[in-house]
Amino acid sequence: MTTFLGSPTFHPGTGNIRGTESFPDAARKALTDTQLRANLGAATTTIRNKRIAAVAEVDDWEELRRAGSALKADVMARLPELLVQFEENVTARGGTVHWARDADEANRIITDLVRATGSDEVVKVKSMATQETGLNEHLEENGIAAIETDLAELIVQLGEDKPSHILVPAIHRNRAEIREIFLNAMPGVDKDITDDPRALAMAARAHLRRKFLSAKVAISGANFGVAETGTLAVVESEGNGRMCLTLPDTLITLMGIEKLVPTFTDLEVFMQLLPRSSTAERMNPYTSMWTGVHPGDGPQNFHVVLLDNGRTNVLADETGRSALHCIRCSACLNVCPVYERAGGHAYGSVYPGPIGAILSPQLTGTTGHDDPNASLPYASTLCGACFDACPVRIDIPSILVHLRAEQVDSERHGLPGGQDLAMKAAGFVMGSEKRFAAAETAAKVGRVLGGRSGRITSLPYPASKWTASRDLPAPPKETFRQWWARTHEDTTR
Amino acid sequence: MTARAEILSRIRSAIADAPAPEPVPRDYHREPASGPGDVELFAHTVDDYRAQVHRADETTVVEIVTGLIAEGKRAVVPPDLPQSWRPRGDVVVDRAPAELSTLELDAIDVVVTGCTLGIAATGTIVLDGGAGQGRRALTLVPDHHICIVRTDQIVDTVPQAFQTLDPTAPLTFISGPSATSDIELNRVEGVHGPRTLDVVIVR
């Protein structure tokens, strides 16, 4: 993956959705970065509280969530006919539809479309799909400069960094760090600029203004595509989206095949669920919707590229397919105790947090125990906060458990592993009352190991494989059966 | 096999065994509009986003709009903006076939338009390129947008808005001025779109 780090390891067909090391290894490093943890902790606490207030204002929130969930399930069940209908309507109104099996194909199609315009520079609206395919690096390799225009994406791009959050890719950076990045990498920035967020935002405005007014080609993602009309929608805040979607002659939109809604009025559900879940606002400042080409208004050449890139893998899993219902609001990230501490980079994929933990491994498929994405379903405490926060009711905890089970089953071959042996031994001990009583007595030894804290933090091999990642509580003074015998002397069995 | 055929075939085999979906429950609030929406709520939600709210009637609109344009600033209006709404002073009309170029628009300070509707629940105004609104670049490039909303254009809820909008028109939903929350999640008003939004509610 390594998006902006100079030596990209490209994974054909998958793009930036698989890291290079397992979640536990990456998380261990992230946990030692106190600045990152402070930045993330402050940001997620703020947004968590705001979101609760924004949702509390809506007295039909649960009804909207159920409608959103059912709408998405309906889309998945009728996806072929809806995609064909969408294609017909985009085409009928002057747009052109392309289909891409994977990241490479999408990048090739878009590069060719840009080349055909004769332009060697494009302005970009923030888009998870283009991050997923690694489009910027691909364009770069082909001599086309891709300029990110969302402030957070710009911070990431100028900082030669990687995004760490779906909605706020630079959430891991604080104002002082952003000021440094601007001073180092933004041409023409005032050397005396302060770290006031307003001053920094205005510097970005000045930097990008000229680009917007002269750009000939723009690339965007899409929040929604409407099958019934061929309409596309981009939801944003800064106005960079409107600039890109309005001023250039050519607009190229990359959209995952799961982004469809059946009818235009179905947007009434998602346009209520999305803003309050993502930025905790009643409505985001700007939403643009366009249907094909509007003569005399906006881009006169419009292309939409429909992207599979593993989505059909996800769709094939009956339990896991609802991961595709995701509307990329990032509410699950902001409530997740694991994300808050480990940060977005530890997940390796452009989709971090709880949704990333179920989406990334399903998109890429996993190649065995050492595949970094195979570790993602374990990047969770299964506390369920993500399910509660999800505006389309994706049951993330159940899918995590399902993917863990699949992972374990896929490794059930050859010699039994340590866990298998431990479970077999436990089965043997628990199979007989005498053996169990003996084991309980033996377990008392553990109290000594626990010391005064009552926690066992390291055991010799092979038990060290367990205690390397977690502490073990020391066994209690008394077993349940001893307690029962002591407190129920009179009772007979 | 083309990419299109291959993707459609992959989807068909992926969902072959899927059960028929449940009907979508529509028990959220989606009552049709029964008259003009809640003007006071609209004024409150618009104000909450730090857009300035002003009240007028048909006879005072010009006065109020003109007063919002600072001394010496140039304004642009779409050709079909009602005469009674057109501000006095240095005003350019963006008339076909000689519409302003992007760079010409960039040299203009203020744009005055109407809208197609306002949503009270969220403080949103919606433009659809219809009467009095002009093309999208007009309300995007100048730094100050004055938008006139008639009280009879206000609906209460988001579903009421979607029930009346024309999906084939170029639609822009505007809720307050341009804003970002990308730096430590602090909201900063005014990034790339108009940094000042004045909403004039006309009785």
Side-chain angles (χ1 to χ4, degrees), chain A residues 250-292:
Chain A
T250 300
L251 171 60
I252 304 164
T253 297
L254 179 64
M255 177 176 112
I257 52 173
E258 82 285 14
K259 290 274 174 180
L260 287 183
V261 297
T263 71
F264 180 69
T265 50
D266 291 329
L267 291 174
E268 71 192 17
V269 174
F270 298 107
M271 286 308 296
Q272 293 187 80
L273 290 171
L274 179 55
R276 290 184 199 258
S277 301
S278 59
T279 54
E281 294 169 301
R282 294 189 182 108
M283 190 65 95
N284 52 294
Y286 295 133
T287 298
S288 300
M289 297 186 195
W290 70 100
T291 308

Coordinates of all heavy atoms in Angstrom, one line a residue, chain A residues 250-292:
Chain A
T250 N -14.2 18.9 -18.2 CA -14.4 17.5 -18.2 C -14.4 17.0 -16.7 O -13.6 17.4 -15.9 CB -13.2 16.8 -18.9 OG1 -13.1 17.2 -20.2 CG2 -13.3 15.2 -18.8
L251 N -15.4 16.1 -16.4 CA -15.5 15.6 -15.1 C -15.5 14.1 -15.2 O -16.3 13.5 -16.0 CB -16.9 16.1 -14.5 CG -17.3 15.4 -13.1 CD1 -16.2 15.7 -12.1 CD2 -18.6 16.0 -12.7
I252 N -14.7 13.4 -14.4 CA -14.6 12.0 -14.4 C -14.9 11.5 -12.9 O -14.3 12.0 -12.0 CB -13.2 11.5 -14.8 CG1 -12.8 12.0 -16.2 CG2 -13.1 10.0 -14.8 CD1 -11.3 11.9 -16.5
T253 N -15.9 10.7 -12.8 CA -16.3 10.2 -11.5 C -16.1 8.7 -11.3 O -16.6 8.0 -12.2 CB -17.8 10.6 -11.3 OG1 -18.0 12.0 -11.4 CG2 -18.3 10.1 -9.9
L254 N -15.4 8.4 -10.3 CA -15.2 6.9 -10.0 C -16.1 6.5 -8.9 O -16.1 7.2 -7.8 CB -13.7 6.7 -9.6 CG -13.4 5.3 -9.2 CD1 -13.5 4.3 -10.4 CD2 -11.9 5.2 -8.6
M255 N -16.9 5.5 -9.1 CA -18.0 5.2 -8.2 C -18.0 3.6 -8.0 O -18.0 2.9 -9.0 CB -19.3 5.6 -8.7 CG -20.5 5.3 -7.9 SD -22.0 6.0 -8.5 CE -22.8 4.5 -9.0
G256 N -18.0 3.2 -6.7 CA -18.1 1.8 -6.4 C -19.5 1.3 -6.9 O -20.5 2.1 -6.7
I257 N -19.6 0.1 -7.3 CA -20.9 -0.4 -7.8 C -22.0 -0.5 -6.7 O -23.2 -0.5 -7.0 CB -20.8 -1.8 -8.5 CG1 -20.1 -2.8 -7.5 CG2 -20.1 -1.7 -9.8 CD1 -20.1 -4.2 -8.0
E258 N -21.6 -0.4 -5.5 CA -22.5 -0.5 -4.4 C -23.2 0.8 -4.0 O -24.0 0.9 -3.1 CB -21.9 -1.1 -3.2 CG -21.0 -0.2 -2.3 CD -19.7 0.2 -2.9 OE1 -19.5 0.0 -4.1 OE2 -18.9 0.8 -2.1
K259 N -22.8 1.9 -4.6 CA -23.2 3.2 -4.2 C -24.6 3.6 -4.7 O -25.0 4.8 -4.5 CB -22.2 4.3 -4.7 CG -20.8 4.2 -4.0 CD -20.9 5.0 -2.8 CE -19.6 4.9 -2.0 NZ -19.7 5.6 -0.7
L260 N -25.2 2.7 -5.4 CA -26.5 3.1 -6.0 C -27.7 3.2 -4.9 O -27.6 2.5 -3.9 CB -26.9 2.0 -7.0 CG -26.2 2.0 -8.3 CD1 -26.8 0.9 -9.2 CD2 -26.2 3.4 -9.0
V261 N -28.6 4.0 -5.2 CA -29.9 3.9 -4.6 C -30.9 3.8 -5.7 O -30.7 4.2 -6.8 CB -30.2 5.2 -3.7 CG1 -29.2 5.3 -2.6 CG2 -30.3 6.5 -4.6
P262 N -32.1 3.1 -5.4 CA -33.0 2.9 -6.6 C -33.6 4.2 -7.1 O -33.6 4.4 -8.3 CB -34.1 2.0 -5.9 CG -33.4 1.3 -4.8 CD -32.5 2.4 -4.2
T263 N -34.2 5.0 -6.3 CA -34.9 6.2 -6.8 C -34.4 7.5 -6.2 O -33.8 7.5 -5.1 CB -36.4 6.1 -6.5 OG1 -36.6 6.3 -5.1 CG2 -37.0 4.8 -6.9
F264 N -34.7 8.6 -6.8 CA -34.2 9.9 -6.4 C -34.8 10.2 -5.0 O -34.0 10.7 -4.1 CB -34.7 11.0 -7.4 CG -34.3 12.4 -7.0 CD1 -33.0 12.8 -7.0 CD2 -35.3 13.3 -6.6 CE1 -32.6 14.0 -6.7 CE2 -34.9 14.6 -6.3 CZ -33.6 15.0 -6.3
T265 N -36.0 9.9 -4.7 CA -36.6 10.2 -3.4 C -36.0 9.4 -2.3 O -36.0 9.7 -1.1 CB -38.1 10.1 -3.4 OG1 -38.5 8.8 -3.9 CG2 -38.8 11.2 -4.1
D266 N -35.3 8.2 -2.6 CA -34.6 7.5 -1.6 C -33.5 8.3 -0.9 O -33.1 8.0 0.2 CB -34.1 6.2 -2.2 CG -35.1 5.2 -2.5 OD1 -36.2 5.2 -1.9 OD2 -34.9 4.4 -3.5
L267 N -33.0 9.3 -1.6 CA -32.0 10.1 -1.1 C -32.5 10.9 0.2 O -31.7 11.3 1.0 CB -31.5 11.2 -2.1 CG -30.7 10.6 -3.3 CD1 -30.4 11.7 -4.3 CD2 -29.4 9.9 -2.8
E268 N -33.8 11.0 0.3 CA -34.4 11.7 1.5 C -33.9 10.9 2.8 O -33.8 11.6 3.8 CB -35.9 11.7 1.4 CG -36.6 10.4 1.6 CD -38.1 10.4 1.2 OE1 -38.5 11.4 0.6 OE2 -38.8 9.5 1.6
V269 N -33.7 9.6 2.7 CA -33.3 8.9 3.8 C -31.8 9.1 4.1 O -31.4 9.5 5.2 CB -33.5 7.4 3.6 CG1 -32.9 6.5 4.8 CG2 -35.0 7.1 3.4
F270 N -31.0 9.0 3.1 CA -29.5 9.0 3.3 C -29.0 10.5 3.6 O -28.1 10.7 4.3 CB -28.8 8.4 2.1 CG -29.1 6.9 2.0 CD1 -29.9 6.5 1.0 CD2 -28.7 6.0 2.9 CE1 -30.3 5.2 0.9 CE2 -29.0 4.7 2.8 CZ -29.8 4.2 1.8
M271 N -29.7 11.4 3.0 CA -29.3 12.8 3.2 C -29.7 13.3 4.6 O -29.3 14.4 5.1 CB -29.9 13.8 2.2 CG -29.2 13.6 0.8 SD -27.4 13.8 0.9 CE -27.3 15.5 1.4
Q272 N -30.5 12.5 5.3 CA -30.7 12.8 6.8 C -29.7 12.0 7.6 O -29.2 12.5 8.6 CB -32.1 12.4 7.2 CG -33.2 13.3 6.5 CD -34.6 13.0 7.0 OE1 -34.9 13.5 8.1 NE2 -35.3 12.2 6.3
L273 N -29.4 10.7 7.2 CA -28.5 9.9 8.0 C -27.1 10.3 7.9 O -26.3 10.3 8.9 CB -28.7 8.4 7.5 CG -30.0 7.7 7.8 CD1 -30.0 6.4 7.1 CD2 -30.2 7.5 9.4
L274 N -26.6 10.7 6.7 CA -25.2 10.9 6.5 C -24.6 12.1 7.2 O -23.6 11.9 8.0 CB -24.9 10.9 5.0 CG -23.4 11.1 4.6 CD1 -22.5 10.1 5.2 CD2 -23.3 11.1 3.0
P275 N -25.2 13.3 7.1 CA -24.5 14.4 7.7 C -24.4 14.3 9.2 O -23.4 14.6 9.8 CB -25.3 15.6 7.3 CG -26.1 15.2 6.1 CD -26.3 13.7 6.3
R276 N -25.5 13.9 9.8 CA -25.6 13.9 11.3 C -24.6 12.8 11.8 O -24.1 12.9 12.9 CB -27.0 13.6 11.8 CG -27.9 14.8 11.6 CD -29.3 14.6 12.2 NE -30.2 15.5 11.6 CZ -30.7 16.7 12.2 NH1 -30.3 17.0 13.4 NH2 -31.5 17.4 11.6
S277 N -24.4 11.7 11.0 CA -23.5 10.6 11.5 C -22.1 11.0 11.2 O -21.2 10.5 12.0 CB -23.8 9.3 10.7 OG -25.2 9.0 10.9
S278 N -21.8 11.8 10.2 CA -20.4 12.0 9.9 C -19.8 13.2 10.6 O -18.9 13.1 11.4 CB -20.2 12.0 8.4 OG -20.9 13.1 7.8
T279 N -20.4 14.4 10.3 CA -19.8 15.6 10.9 C -20.7 16.1 12.0 O -20.5 17.2 12.6 CB -19.6 16.7 9.9 OG1 -20.8 16.9 9.2 CG2 -18.5 16.3 8.9
A280 N -21.8 15.4 12.3 CA -22.7 15.8 13.4 C -23.3 17.1 13.1 O -23.6 17.9 14.0 CB -21.9 15.8 14.7
E281 N -23.6 17.4 11.8 CA -24.3 18.6 11.4 C -25.7 18.2 11.0 O -26.0 17.0 10.5 CB -23.6 19.2 10.3 CG -22.3 19.8 10.6 CD -21.5 20.2 9.4 OE1 -21.2 19.4 8.5 OE2 -21.1 21.4 9.3
R282 N -26.7 19.1 11.0 CA -28.0 18.9 10.5 C -27.9 18.6 9.0 O -28.6 17.7 8.5 CB -28.9 20.1 10.8 CG -29.1 20.3 12.2 CD -30.2 21.4 12.4 NE -30.4 21.7 13.8 CZ -30.0 22.8 14.4 NH1 -29.4 23.8 13.7 NH2 -30.2 23.0 15.7
M283 N -27.1 19.3 8.4 CA -26.8 19.1 6.9 C -25.4 19.6 6.7 O -25.0 20.6 7.3 CB -27.9 19.9 6.1 CG -27.9 19.5 4.6 SD -28.4 17.8 4.3 CE -30.1 18.1 4.0
N284 N -24.7 18.9 5.8 CA -23.4 19.4 5.4 C -23.6 20.7 4.6 O -24.6 20.9 3.9 CB -22.7 18.3 4.6 CG -23.6 17.9 3.4 OD1 -24.6 17.3 3.7 ND2 -23.2 18.2 2.2
P285 N -22.5 21.6 4.6 CA -22.7 22.9 3.9 C -23.1 22.7 2.4 O -23.9 23.5 1.9 CB -21.3 23.5 4.1 CG -20.9 23.0 5.4 CD -21.3 21.6 5.4
Y286 N -22.5 21.8 1.7 CA -22.8 21.7 0.2 C -23.0 20.3 -0.2 O -22.3 19.4 0.1 CB -21.6 22.3 -0.6 CG -21.3 23.7 -0.4 CD1 -20.0 24.1 -0.2 CD2 -22.3 24.7 -0.4 CE1 -19.7 25.5 -0.1 CE2 -22.0 26.0 -0.3 CZ -20.7 26.4 -0.1 OH -20.4 27.8 0.1
T287 N -24.1 20.1 -1.0 CA -24.3 18.9 -1.7 C -24.6 19.2 -3.2 O -25.4 20.1 -3.5 CB -25.5 18.1 -1.2 OG1 -25.2 17.7 0.2 CG2 -25.7 16.8 -2.0
S288 N -23.8 18.6 -4.1 CA -24.0 18.8 -5.5 C -24.6 17.6 -6.1 O -24.2 16.5 -5.8 CB -22.7 19.1 -6.2 OG -22.1 20.3 -5.7
M289 N -25.6 17.8 -7.0 CA -26.2 16.6 -7.7 C -26.3 17.0 -9.2 O -26.7 18.1 -9.5 CB -27.6 16.3 -7.2 CG -27.6 15.9 -5.8 SD -29.3 15.4 -5.3 CE -29.1 15.4 -3.5
W290 N -25.9 16.1 -10.0 CA -25.9 16.3 -11.5 C -26.3 15.1 -12.2 O -26.1 14.0 -11.7 CB -24.6 16.9 -12.0 CG -23.5 15.9 -12.0 CD1 -23.0 15.2 -13.1 CD2 -22.6 15.5 -10.9 NE1 -21.9 14.3 -12.7 CE2 -21.7 14.5 -11.4 CE3 -22.6 15.8 -9.5 CZ2 -20.8 13.9 -10.5 CZ3 -21.7 15.2 -8.7 CH2 -20.8 14.3 -9.2
T291 N -27.0 15.3 -13.3 CA -27.5 14.2 -14.1 C -27.0 14.3 -15.5 O -27.4 15.2 -16.2 CB -29.1 14.2 -14.1 OG1 -29.5 14.3 -12.7 CG2 -29.6 12.9 -14.7
G292 N -26.0 13.5 -15.9 CA -25.4 13.6 -17.2 C -24.8 15.0 -17.4 O -24.1 15.5 -16.5

